[in-house]
Amino acid sequence: MPALDKFTEYIDTHAESFIKRLSEAVAIKSISSDARRREDVIAMGNWLDGELKKLDVETKLVDLGTQVMQGQTLQLPPAILGRLGSDPKKKTVLIYGHYDVQPALLSDGWNSDPFTLTVDEATGRLYGRGSTDDKGPILGWLNVIEAHRSLKLDLPVNLRFCFEGMEENGSEGLDELIQSEVAKGQDGWFNGVDCVCISDNYWLNTRQPALTYGLRGITYFSINITGPGQDLHSGAFGRTVHEPMTDLVKLMSKLVDHDGKILIPGVDEMVPPPDEEELKLYTAIDYSIADIEHAAGGKIAISSNKEAVLMGRMRYPSLSIHGIEGAFSEVGAKTVIPAKVGGKFSIRLVPPQTPENVNPLVISYLEAEFAKLNSKNKLQVEYIHGGKPWVTNPKHWNFEAAKKAIQTVFNVTPDYTREGGSIPVTLTFAESLGVNVLLLPMGRADDGAHSTNEKLDRSNFIEGSKLLGLYLHEVAAI
Amino acid sequence: MPALDKFTEYIDTHAESFIKRLSEAVAIKSISSDARRREDVIAMGNWLDGELKKLDVETKLVDLGTQVMQGQTLQLPPAILGRLGSDPKKKTVLIYGHYDVQPALLSDGWNSDPFTLTVDEATGRLYGRGSTDDKGPILGWLNVIEAHRSLKLDLPVNLRFCFEGMEENGSEGLDELIQSEVAKGQDGWFNGVDCVCISDNYWLNTRQPALTYGLRGITYFSINITGPGQDLHSGAFGRTVHEPMTDLVKLMSKLVDHDGKILIPGVDEMVPPPDEEELKLYTAIDYSIADIEHAAGGKIAISSNKEAVLMGRMRYPSLSIHGIEGAFSEVGAKTVIPAKVGGKFSIRLVPPQTPENVNPLVISYLEAEFAKLNSKNKLQVEYIHGGKPWVTNPKHWNFEAAKKAIQTVFNVTPDYTREGGSIPVTLTFAESLGVNVLLLPMGRADDGAHSTNEKLDRSNFIEGSKLLGLYLHEVAAI
Ligand SMILES: [Zn+2]
Ligand SMILES: [Zn+2]
Ligand SMILES: [Zn+2]
Ligand SMILES: [Zn+2]
């Protein structure tokens, strides 16, 4: 039997033990945004470190220091750097993943305990917090290494690992760690890395494997309007003063049209229209209006044209209004005139947009529109945070290797996708290492990462583990 | 010495004991909206009942039953009905007040313990929760009765009392009590009432006593927009679906102009413009733009014309936007597309407006404007609550009596005001008893009822007690 057939057979025959290892990982409540669970996040880091060591991966737990959160000074969970193989004749692949998870409570609407991996035999779904985001994909890499060790197959590439425990809570300390390791050159853990592979996103639908070559950036603002010295009673003050909320809703109504067009002059215009060849990319994607409406949970697609919807997510900027700070937001009927309100909105950015070139357009537009209101209130446009978009070349050998592996495992050509959101570490790796970064998703569009009843399909976990292994072999064969 | 001079002298010479009685009342934390303080509210009712009995007022504590609040079933504090005098040759005046107060914590920003009446000798201010709203005015009536008893002066009118302990929390049970007492006719406590006097509002400024002859009504709405099945991530869904917040801010931007004009067709138009004579009323009022800007805490007056500002508060409807339920409202930067949002706004109503004739205009306008948005989301315009406005004849003998009393005590002619807010019991008394209701404020515009550092000026308490007494004599002399 050829070596790769032995590998895929091993993955199949050891599926139950892989699922058992995943259930051990899911059972550790590594919620990075909850101060009460910080010890569990650290325990999860130690568990993962132990699993890596069992597979002879050389590791280093990096102390990232402390943070102040929810009024407490907390130890940051360690980053785990790992190394397996140093053959100068082999390519070196750097793998990123995160071992922390989003919060989850049974009472949020889960059908089973979120921290007990629950197998639905009928559907083949593995339910549990972190199953798909991102414990399943991380363990996929461990499955690959275990199979090679057990079968005494030589790994075709050198591996480097960078695992963190703060991804769901701002990746505190990670950028600095990566940059400092890169700066160490030959003495750093990332020395000689030829490409990066991140498995922390999802297929575009529930049917078709995907390769992801782009992410949108973001610029996030608060439109702050002040006037009264304190909250006022609408009975006593209604129609006697300029009310900040009146001004705010007028400004917020001028940001975006119902069809998604951004009304801030110059923002949409920065993005060139797709050419014929690019349009074909979207036509080729296995996607329908039913997919978006299923995912959104409502018949509210912005267009009946599939390509328009896909481009709205992948290659155009978008503007969303998130809410208002300082106004009445409870159940009930309070008759308040809020004194100080902040309208929150963000723009998802695509190349060539950056916060640096978009923000001045946003600020000057809002100031000009506010001036038209003839209000005696005060406007301050506050930039809260931002990040650049990322797009790479999907014809790079890193992507070609993954494409061939998908063809072998799934017998289909992958969808080439760009994600609407951002995975900031992608840009950090791309810019600091100067190598190609591949996003190679394991899970499906309906996995419900960050939501209730998060799941990973058994087939995605098992075939996905095969895919990760074959991808490494294809990288070596390039 | 004439009898009335003896009366005013008694008030002056017993000021310290009146302030001491007020400090006893302020010390009882009768916060009706806080379940933990319900026993204190009931204790306050018992204290007040005891003080009335000491003055030979015949009283009845009315059990208003229970309510469910903050998850507990609570006894409602008693309403206190009182009777003093039954001379058929005298007029009968019904007096209303409330013995409950708003919440207050030192940590809210008070300069002294809110439940310790604190006298600032330099300014003559009496600081404490309930000092002006409404314990001071209630005790003003007790001061009047005590003076007459001690001086063996005959009270010039029969008195009836209706005191409640739930005014700051919806006046639970009060309307039903009033209507049932009225329905009892000769057997009821309100039999033979000729007029009503309520001291539970404020001068328009800090200088000039006022008589109040109107209150605005209200109609309160939530614009509910739904679409997605759950909150969505703006990265994944931005520019792919119709977002409820986009629709909501567009609708809310079409409600009111920065100058206070209501944009819902037909609403402003229901209110006839003032004639020459009415305009003179506003010109006569002791008020300036500086007053409104001082009260609002900002230079945001809607007009530089004093009459326009006064009419905006008193005789025109107003529309205020209060906030949004269901959207992101915290500090920070969450990238959510909220699935279900409710935009809260209310319209203060003036005659001939009522919720019944205004609501259809609101609903049909919002539905028409929503249709123009071409959104696939769903709109529901939800009416939350409402109440009618009230205006009475300020030339009625009840008002004439109060005007003469003000001229005697303060040597000025009062401002004739209409309040922008509502005191619902006013309308209940006016409609169920069919007699004139006078609003006779004791405190000043800057007393800070419902706010931190609530106060009643010593002079307002003492001269105000004289005013209440002389008002009764003027009623008798009419
Ligand atoms: Zn993730
Ligand atoms: Zn995540
Ligand atoms: Zn009051
Ligand atoms: Zn009050």
Side-chain angles (χ1 to χ4, degrees), chain A residues 186-203:
Chain A
Q186 291 208 336
D187 300 328
W189 284 74
F190 302 151
N191 182 40
V193 163
D194 294 293
C195 65
V196 179
C197 182
I198 300 175
S199 185
D200 188 23
N201 69 312
Y202 308 94
W203 299 354

Side-chain angles (χ1 to χ4, degrees), chain B residues 173-189:
Chain B
L174 187 70
D175 274 8
E176 297 74 10
L177 170 67
I178 293 168
Q179 278 149 7
S180 97
E181 282 305 319
V182 171
K184 288 177 189 166
Q186 293 206 335
D187 300 329
W189 284 73

Side-chain angles (χ1 to χ4, degrees), chain A residues 102-177:
Chain A
Q102 287 276 324
L105 291 171
L106 186 57
S107 59
D108 292 342
W110 284 72
N111 297 323
S112 55
D113 172 32
F115 295 100
T116 302
L117 191 75
T118 303
V119 182
D120 183 331
E121 294 296 345
T123 60
R125 289 175 165 185
L126 313 173
Y127 287 99
R129 176 56 88 221
S131 56
T132 193
D133 182 19
D134 187 34
K135 291 177 175 177
I138 286 182
L139 294 190
W141 295 110
L142 271 62
N143 299 344
V144 170
I145 300 168
E146 179 193 309
H148 282 76
R149 277 181 92 249
S150 298
L151 296 168
K152 303 200 188 316
L153 285 174
D154 196 29
L155 270 173
V157 297
N158 304 313
L159 290 177
R160 299 292 176 269
F161 299 95
C162 178
F163 294 131
E164 66 160 324
M166 283 293 287
E167 197 274 344
E168 304 292 7
N169 192 16
S171 288
E172 194 105 4
L174 187 71
D175 274 6
E176 297 73 10
L177 170 67

Side-chain angles (χ1 to χ4, degrees), chain B residues 63-205:
Chain B
D63 182 349
L64 298 174
T66 60
Q67 68 165 170
V68 176
M69 196 175 95
Q70 294 155 16
Q72 299 171 51
T73 300
L74 299 172
Q75 179 64 41
L76 286 166
I80 304 175
L81 299 177
R83 176 153 47 200
L84 185 60
S86 290
D87 186 337
K89 295 190 295 298
K90 292 179 181 172
K91 286 210 175 66
T92 299
V93 178
L94 171 60
I95 287 153
Y96 164 89
H98 65 89
Y99 61 78
D100 61 319
V101 297
Q102 287 276 327
L105 290 170
L106 186 57
S107 59
D108 291 341
W110 284 71
N111 298 323
S112 54
D113 172 30
F115 296 99
T116 302
L117 191 76
T118 303
V119 183
D120 183 331
E121 294 296 345
T123 60
R125 289 175 165 185
L126 314 173
Y127 289 99
R129 176 56 88 220
S131 56
T132 194
D133 181 19
D134 187 34
K135 292 176 176 178
I138 286 183
L139 295 189
W141 295 110
L142 272 63
N143 299 344
V144 169
I145 301 168
E146 179 193 310
H148 282 76
R149 277 180 93 252
S150 298
L151 296 168
K152 302 203 189 311
L153 286 175
D154 197 27
L155 271 173
V157 298
N158 305 313
L159 290 176
R160 299 292 177 268
F161 299 96
C162 178
F163 294 132
E164 66 161 322
M166 282 293 287
E167 198 274 343
E168 304 292 8
N169 191 16
S171 288
E172 195 105 4
L174 187 70
D175 274 8
E176 297 74 10
L177 170 67
I178 293 168
Q179 278 149 7
S180 97
E181 282 305 319
V182 171
K184 288 177 189 166
Q186 293 206 335
D187 300 329
W189 284 73
F190 302 152
N191 183 39
V193 163
D194 293 295
C195 65
V196 179
C197 182
I198 300 176
S199 186
D200 188 24
N201 67 313
Y202 309 95
W203 300 353
L204 188 61
N205 56 35

Side-chain angles (χ1 to χ4, degrees), chain A residues 201-237:
Chain A
N201 69 312
Y202 308 94
W203 299 354
L204 187 62
N205 55 34
T206 60
R207 303 173 295 275
Q208 182 95 343
L211 297 178
T212 302
Y213 65 100
L215 298 165
R216 291 197 288 195
I218 191 170
T219 185
Y220 200 113
F221 284 96
S222 180
I223 305 173
N224 298 331
I225 299 183
T226 52
Q230 67 283 338
D231 285 0
L232 303 176
H233 188 272
S234 68
F237 288 92

